[in-house]
Structures are given as structure tokens and as C-alpha cells.
């Protein structure tokens, strides 16, 4: 089979190469070790509420990725109402970004794998947070979000019910809904 | 008291205006409603694993903020090993960014409030994720991170124990460790 023929036979749905997706599923079924990923982030404090995260390499599918050239720098800051200078979104806003981008991609990937075309996805997220616990003014409130509301508008032939089931494969949704153990180690520099 | 005298009396520690911080604590003690915040994010899918979040307004301390001019656009994508084109960090990497930036700011703010100078904060985070649940190859693995390891190096007079207690005020840490209810609504466009 020529390369051209092979390319002609590749199926791409919603921008996802479904042929490759199915090859990954087959490879992981044969060797579950290929499903193991490690993601990483490195942060350096600048000043006040302003700090900077570098994201480069990751491990997955049995090897290191991004060792040459992959490097993203993402800033976090606080708005003036939280005593910052607003150079960037704040950490709890980035949590909403992580969640909504993951829900969106989960719909797109799952739909592609099932042969469902998606025309558009838009979403809005809102999170309620009471600052009293952080300010040590209350033991009754929690520190993090009390609730998060995610509303999606999707243009597609799939039913709302099926789209929701696709979204619920989201890894970030799983972490936010059910929690993940975090080992926190502080060393003196 | 003249404005100059007032400015001279303001205490700034770690880049945080502690005088204003204490005014906020006093105001919230008098009126707990001022502690209520709503953070927001709006996402639009581009193609494949690539999508874009806009972060602008927020509600807090009794009023809307950022209605004029505050607008951040944050992109998310997937690396080639996850069938993307690597235009930006991916959603689970942004979750690590949200967590590490929040832990860092919690140390900075709490230290400032307690009069503790921080010289530097650096951190590395690693998260383990098994893709089998997403690929529908296993019911035994979870979809999200199995574990997250956060290692901080802090230059300061405070003990590692006190720094850890400060970090544990982090709202994102609370969400990631303990989970938050997420209402997910899908509408057909």
C-alpha cells in the first residue's frame, strides 16, 4: 500500500485523526503500560500575587515527549480586589479554564471516535467561592469553590444526553468532582 | 492625617499591601457578604483538541469587577502524542498550573499577613494519569489524575511546617483534594 493510499484512507472527524485514535486504542489494549502518562509544571514566584509556570516535557505512551522545543510559559496574578495587579487570570479562574477546555475536548474526541460530527461548542462556567476561610474568619466555609456551574451549547446531531455522557469522560471533571490525593512537600531553599 | 502620612504608614510585605489586607479582613468581619465571589470563564472550540477560553469579569466584595477592559484569552491544545498540534498546554497541565500558582500565592499572602518575608518560591508538580478509562479500555482506572506530587523550595525565615500550613489555605488545593460539585448542563445550539 502506497503512502498516498494510506493517507486517503485516514478518517478525520472534528479535526481528530480517528484512524490514529483507533491505532492508539489497539496499542493500549495490547500493552496497558502505554496508557500511563505523567504531566508536569514548574512555577517560580515573581512578586505579590504574580507568578509564572513553565510547562514543557511530559511522559506518555512509553516515552518522553517535548524534550526538544516544547515550552509554554503561563502567568497567574490577582485582580486589584484581591490585592494584585491583574497581569493575568488568577489561579481559581485557571481552574475553570482547565475544566471547560477539558470538557470541550472530551466531547470532541469522544464524538470523533463514535463518528459524530460536531459543528460548534461554546461554554460558560461560574464558580462560587467564599473568601472567609482563606481570611481565617470562619471555620464553617470551605476554602475552595462551593459549586461550579458549567453550561454548554453544542451544535451537533448527537442528543444532549449523549453529549453529556461524552463530556463526562473529562479527566479534569473527574478530579474536580471527586478529588485527587496531593502530596505537598515543602523544602527550605 | 495627610495622604502622604497615610501612604508612609502602609505596610507592604512580599509585594502584598498588608494594610489593605487588614482592612479587607475587618470589612468582611463586619459584613460576611463581602466574602462572596463568583469567578467565570467562557470557552469556544476551535478545531480538534484546540480551544480558547476568555476570562474577563468577576463578582466579589459586593460588586462587579473588570467590566471595562479586563480580558484574558487562554488557549488549550493537545500534544501530538494525544493527537493534537501542541499550540498550548493541555487541560490537565493547566490544572497543575492552577494548583501550583494557587499554592504559591497562598504562601505569599499568608506570610505577608503574618509579617513573614519570603525571598523566593519555586515548585515542581507531577501528576499521574492512566488514559485507559478515557479510551474505554478499563473500568478499574479513574479518568483523572491518580496522584499529584507538589514539591516546593522556599527561601524564608519561616519553618517548612509553617510554610506548609500557609500553602494549605489554597482554594485550588481544597478543590483538588476534596472535590467540588459540578453542575453540567448541555443544550443543543
Amino acid at each position: 500500500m502506497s503512502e498516498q493510499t494510506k493517507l486517503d484512507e485516514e478518517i478525520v472527524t472534528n479535526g481528530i485523526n480517528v484512524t490514529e485514535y483507533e491505532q492508539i486504542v489497539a496499542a493500549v489494549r495490547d500493552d496497558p503500560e502505554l496508557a500511563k502518562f505523567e504531566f508536569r509544571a514548574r512555577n517560580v514566584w515573581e512578586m505579590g500575587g504574580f507568578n509564572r509556570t513553565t510547562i514543557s516535557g511530559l511522559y506518555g505512551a512509553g516515552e518522553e515527549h517535548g524534550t526538544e522545543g516544547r515550552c509554554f510559559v503561563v502567568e497567574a496574578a490577582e485582580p486589584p480586589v484581591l490585592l494584585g495587579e491583574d497581569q493575568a487570570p488568577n489561579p481559581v479562574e485557571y481552574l475553570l479554564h482547565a475544566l471547560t477546555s477539558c470538557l470541550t475536548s472530551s466531547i470532541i474526541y469522544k464524538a470523533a471516535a463514535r463518528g459524530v460530527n460536531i459543528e460548534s461548542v461554546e461554554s460558560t462556567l461560574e464558580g462560587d467561592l467564599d473568601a472567609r476561610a482563606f481570611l481565617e474568619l470562619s471555620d464553617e466555609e470551605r476554602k475552595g469553590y462551593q459549586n461550579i456551574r458549567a453550561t454548554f451549547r453544542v451544535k451537533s446531531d448527537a442528543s444532549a444526553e449523549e453529549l453529556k455522557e461524552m463530556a463526562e469522560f473529562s479527566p479534569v471533571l473527574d478530579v474536580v468532582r471527586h478529588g485527587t490525593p496531593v502530596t505537598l512537600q515543602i523544602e527550605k531553599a
Side-chain angles (χ1 to χ4, degrees), chain A:
Chain A
M1 186 168 62
S2 73
E3 184 65 21
Q4 190 52 51
T5 315
K6 200 177 154 196
L7 283 173
D8 286 345
E9 286 175 2
E10 284 189 342
I11 299 165
V12 176
T13 305
N14 307 330
I16 304 298
N17 188 318
V18 179
T19 308
E20 282 186 34
Y21 184 95
E22 286 171 358
Q23 286 164 354
I24 290 174
V25 171
V28 172
R29 189 180 283 120
D30 284 350
D31 181 2
E33 283 295 308
L34 296 175
K36 291 188 179 170
F37 279 77
E38 183 186 85
F39 297 97
R40 303 162 191 148
R42 182 169 181 278
N43 185 280
V44 177
W45 172 56
E46 275 302 312
M47 184 50 63
F50 185 45
N51 59 67
R52 206 173 265 126
T53 297
T54 303
I55 292 164
S56 47
L58 63 103
Y59 177 87
E63 57 187 345
E64 283 290 323
H65 300 270
T67 47
E68 283 179 33
R70 187 177 192 254
C71 184
F72 302 110
V73 177
V74 192
E75 296 177 339
E78 294 291 348
V81 66
L82 295 169
L83 304 177
E85 293 177 21
D86 225 4
Q87 299 98 327
N90 84 351
V92 293
E93 291 174 323
Y94 273 113
L95 183 71
L96 298 183
H97 165 60
L99 179 55
T100 190
S101 62
C102 196
L103 288 164
T104 298
S105 288
S106 296
I107 291 171
I108 294 303
Y109 277 67
K110 281 291 152 193
R114 296 176 189 184
V116 174
N117 288 301
I118 304 286
E119 278 186 60
S120 67
V121 183
E122 284 186 24
S123 55
T124 52
L125 267 73
E126 303 165 343
D128 301 321
L129 197 148
D130 190 305
R132 276 178 286 173
F134 187 86
L135 297 172
E136 298 178 64
L137 291 173
S138 170
D139 293 331
E140 286 167 30
E141 309 301 325
R142 64 179 297 178
K143 299 176 182 88
Y145 280 122
Q146 297 162 319
N147 293 287
I148 295 172
R149 294 172 293 283
T151 306
F152 277 69
R153 284 160 300 281
V154 183
K155 197 163 182 182
S156 159
D157 289 334
S159 68
E161 192 178 30
E162 189 180 5
L163 292 165
K164 189 173 181 181
E165 186 248 331
M166 292 172 182
E168 284 178 341
F169 279 93
S170 160
V172 176
L173 178 67
D174 178 32
V175 172
V176 172
R177 273 194 173 153
H178 304 118
T180 284
V182 178
T183 309
L184 177 56
Q185 189 179 337
I186 312 261
E187 296 164 3
K188 297 291 296 287

